[in-house]
Amino acid sequence: DGQVELTLVLQLDEYSSETSWSLESPDGTMAYTMQRGHYESYASNKKVETIQVPPGRYRFRITDERGDGICCSAGNGYYAMYEGNGLTGTQLFYGAGNFGDEAEHIFEVGTFSEDEAQALPVPPDPPGGDVPSEDTSSSQTEDGLHLVEMSILLDSAAAETGFVLSWGDVVILERKPGYFEGKDSTPVTESIYLPAGEYILTLLDTAGDGFCCSKGAGFYSLLHAGELILFGQATFEYEHIETFEIAGGGGPTAVSRKKKFGLRGSAPSSYTPIRERSRTTDLHA
């Protein structure tokens, strides 16, 4: 029938009646919409919505009446859209719950040639002015470092969780179990400047139950230049390894963070220093 199945996963906060969303088709009509109040009886619950649409380009918009998103003091909300049958499909986008008044994503579904994709219309902005596009110009510094935002939603046993970000045997950033003590069920973000190259992210849990499930709805994600490059639910046991690449070739040409972060193995002879720019942001602060 030419339809594409979409699956929207929406983890609501305590004030679920404030949340609404819409999916706008290329001709500017609303393909689907959920008005405020629809989720009133689903406080702090996860909802999965299945949508059938023709191939094309769409705009998804999520809004919060109070302007505090679906997270933080009111819960640990998030949302994600998949193309295909349920969560086994291809993830189109993911958003954390700290979006304030609203957030939007433009995406394509279906199969197109390159020329057809270029010709797809963009859904019009709503009346009242253009929606500003996301500024990603600051995602790369003058010396070629790329800003990567790593977000983790911790479970109720945050002290058990840790991670290591490395390039080969060189540890770039390490948060040992115990580092997040006192941040139970809290979303945190690490802002890290990295040269282009391939990296390894190792997630750790000392109890062997990840950071999810009976203790919460934990997940992890990495954003680069506004694009989601990693996302996963924390359903591993003691350790989970992911790899990702920052485009541009080469590995880090920077170096000796041995004193602060420690090195596993020896540093390669070509390793020269990356300025220390990482920071941790507590979204509840």
Side-chain angles (χ1 to χ4, degrees):
D1 59 4
Q3 298 288 294
V4 179
E5 182 172 272
L6 302 178
T7 301
L8 172 65
V9 179
L10 181 60
Q11 174 64 54
L12 296 154
D13 65 4
E14 295 175 16
Y15 303 103
S16 53
S17 64
E18 299 172 355
T19 303
S20 60
W21 59 266
S22 64
L23 184 66
E24 193 172 58
S25 61
D27 61 4
T29 62
M30 291 294 183
Y32 287 88
T33 182
M34 288 293 182
Q35 301 290 344
R36 285 196 304 269
H38 178 83
Y39 295 117
E40 184 172 5
S41 60
Y42 295 96
S44 301
N45 286 340
K46 182 187 294 182
K47 284 291 292 176
V48 178
E49 308 282 3
T50 301
I51 309 162
Q52 298 286 337
V53 298
R57 181 172 288 166
Y58 293 85
R59 172 181 278 117
F60 173 84
R61 180 177 285 109
I62 183 169
T63 60
D64 183 82
E65 183 180 22
R66 185 174 295 190
D68 59 356
I70 50 174
C71 79
C72 309
S73 62
N76 298 311
Y78 62 89
Y79 59 94
M81 184 78 80
Y82 299 82
E83 179 179 351
N85 184 16
L87 304 185
T88 59
T90 301
Q91 187 179 86
L92 298 169
F93 59 81
Y94 159 82
N98 59 329
F99 56 81
D101 292 306
E102 69 173 41
E104 71 167 41
H105 303 264
I106 295 176
F107 63 95
E108 298 169 5
V109 293
T111 303
F112 311 95
S113 68
E114 185 173 344
D115 289 342
E116 288 172 330
Q118 290 295 328
L120 286 173
V122 176
D125 289 324
D130 294 337
V131 175
S133 58
E134 182 177 10
D135 180 12
T136 60
S137 60
S138 62
S139 64
Q140 183 174 353
T141 64
E142 291 182 0
D143 51 1
L145 298 182
H146 298 258
L147 174 61
V148 175
E149 299 280 350
M150 177 178 177
S151 296
I152 298 178
L153 174 57
L154 298 159
D155 65 7
S156 60
E160 300 170 356
T161 299
F163 72 84
V164 179
L165 177 64
S166 59
W167 171 60
D169 288 334
V170 178
V171 173
I172 302 297
L173 179 61
E174 181 175 15
R175 299 303 189 206
K176 294 180 179 180
Y179 179 86
F180 296 115
E181 186 173 3
K183 297 184 182 296
D184 293 354
S185 303
T186 298
V188 295
T189 296
E190 298 275 5
S191 298
I192 311 160
Y193 283 86
L194 299 173
E198 295 184 0
Y199 296 88
I200 302 169
L201 174 65
T202 304
L203 298 158
L204 306 168
D205 187 84
T206 57
D209 58 358
F211 45 100
C212 77
C213 311
S214 62
K215 296 179 181 177
F219 64 83
Y220 57 93
S221 66
L222 265 71
L223 288 170
H224 172 238
E227 296 291 330
L228 185 70
I229 57 176
L230 271 188
F231 171 79
Q233 293 182 321
T235 54
F236 61 94
E237 294 181 351
Y238 291 95
E239 180 179 289
H240 178 69
I241 297 174
E242 294 265 20
T243 60
F244 66 95
E245 181 178 2
I246 303 299
T253 55
V255 109
S256 178
R257 310 187 73 176
K258 185 172 183 179
K259 183 175 180 182
K260 182 172 180 60
F261 299 120
L263 295 176
R264 296 185 302 179
S266 58
S269 58
S270 62
Y271 199 60
T272 51
I274 297 179
R275 287 195 301 274
E276 182 181 324
R277 305 191 188 184
S278 301
R279 66 183 185 277
T280 301
T281 302
D282 184 343
L283 299 184
H284 280 193

